[in-house]
Amino acid sequence: MKRRFKVILDIVMLLTVLTLFSKQLFGMQYHEIAGIILLVLMIVHIAINLKIASAMGKSFARLPAAVKIGFIADILLILCFIAIGVSGILISHTILTSISSDNVLFKQIHMFVGGLSVILLGVHLGLHICRRPLPCVAAAAASVIVLCAGIYGVLNSSEVRWLSMPFTGSARPAVSDSAEKGGNYHSEGQGSNVKQFRGSDQDSNGNAEQSRGGGKNRQPFSPAQKAQNIIMFSGMLLSCTAITYWAAVPKKKKRPRASNHKPH
């Protein structure tokens, strides 16, 4: 019964994560409420696996390399989820506006750790799946499909921009890109040609959105766009899963051929 509950919990958490990479998928209010629910589910998940994690921590030095990597990835993933939750609360648009802030640093953190969580969650899944290797042909076919979807996702989402935020230092889109989207700008100083983007950001598909007020001017995704968004992020996540799987799955050792030479 406990095992079945853990499987159901993991599936619910994974499906919830896939709906949170874009605020336009189901709206800002869903994004924030589902994010808080995901944090609660994560706490339950940690509580269920606490004994195993504690035992692994105590015997960390003796663990196989793949298990060590998985343990570290899990710790980093937990820290990412905590950072996503805290930063999300601090930039809340709908349910916690009394304590939210306009500080762009919180948005930078929120987006960066969100992008990083895609990779870490993929590693987490790959290390779990490789414990029970799939048939080689099925694993190879599935890997080709998800890698194609992952490449499509990288090219058509904001994953790269999210991950580059600590180096670019901005959660705002480039002026030239946003101008084409009809962003809200104002000039600083008289006669200045420098334009600063104010009160907006980009969603996971590169569309300009309002930073405050829940993005009232944004158009919700059509069913086709929703499917596209989920495929993009599923593809990126599962691509990381496939790469980790092939790197960590136990390799079958070739048996030496029996010699037909008979001793004299």
Side-chain angles (χ1 to χ4, degrees):
M1 184 67 181
K2 183 179 179 181
R3 180 176 178 79
R4 182 179 297 178
F5 175 76
K6 289 172 65 175
V7 171
I8 293 173
L9 178 64
D10 290 346
I11 293 173
V12 171
M13 289 179 66
L14 179 59
L15 294 177
T16 304
V17 166
L18 292 175
T19 66
L20 293 176
F21 288 112
S22 175
K23 296 179 285 292
Q24 283 179 269
L25 200 61
F26 297 112
M28 179 64 76
Q29 190 169 33
Y30 169 86
H31 184 81
E32 295 185 2
I33 293 174
I36 293 174
I37 291 174
L38 181 62
L39 283 178
V40 175
L41 295 178
M42 185 194 71
I43 293 171
V44 175
H45 179 83
I46 293 172
I48 292 174
N49 295 282
L50 191 58
K51 288 184 179 180
I52 298 174
S54 178
M56 291 174 63
K58 292 177 181 178
S59 59
F60 184 80
R62 300 189 300 273
L63 295 175
V67 179
K68 286 181 180 179
I69 294 172
F71 186 78
I72 294 171
D74 289 349
I75 297 298
L76 292 175
L77 186 58
I78 291 171
L79 294 176
C80 277
F81 278 150
I82 292 172
I84 290 171
V86 173
S87 60
I89 289 171
L90 293 175
I91 58 172
S92 174
H93 294 165
T94 61
I95 61 175
L96 296 169
T97 53
S98 59
I99 61 172
S100 63
S101 168
D102 284 321
N103 193 328
V104 72
L105 176 62
F106 299 140
K107 184 168 289 187
Q108 291 173 348
I109 294 172
H110 192 72
M111 292 182 175
F112 171 70
V113 292
L116 185 59
S117 68
V118 175
I119 298 173
L120 291 173
L121 186 54
V123 172
H124 174 83
L125 292 174
L127 289 173
H128 278 276
I129 293 173
C130 74
R131 296 175 187 174
R132 296 182 179 180
L134 302 172
C136 189
V137 175
S143 297
V144 171
I145 294 172
V146 299
L147 285 172
C148 290
I151 293 171
Y152 173 80
V154 170
L155 295 176
N156 291 277
S157 73
S158 294
E159 175 73 7
V160 174
R161 184 173 66 88
W162 293 346
L163 292 174
S164 65
M165 278 186 181
F167 311 101
T168 59
S170 176
R172 295 163 179 153
V175 170
S176 58
D177 293 338
S178 299
E180 294 176 1
K181 300 291 184 179
N184 180 21
Y185 295 89
H186 72 286
S187 297
E188 288 188 346
Q190 293 180 353
S192 172
N193 292 324
V194 179
K195 293 183 178 179
Q196 180 181 4
F197 186 77
R198 179 180 61 185
S200 68
D201 190 18
Q202 286 181 319
D203 63 18
S204 60
N205 291 324
N207 299 319
E209 62 183 42
Q210 292 299 315
S211 173
R212 302 298 297 169
K216 294 178 181 178
N217 295 332
R218 288 179 291 130
Q219 294 297 320
F221 280 162
S222 66
Q225 288 174 316
K226 289 180 180 180
Q228 178 192 28
N229 186 271
I230 292 175
I231 288 172
M232 285 194 308
F233 285 100
S234 297
M236 287 189 290
L237 190 154
L238 293 177
S239 291
C240 296
T241 300
I243 293 170
T244 304
Y245 172 86
W246 288 110
V249 70
K251 306 297 187 296
K252 291 183 179 181
K253 295 182 179 180
K254 293 183 179 180
R255 294 181 180 179
R257 293 181 179 180
S259 176
N260 294 326
H261 178 72
K262 295 181 179 180
H264 294 289

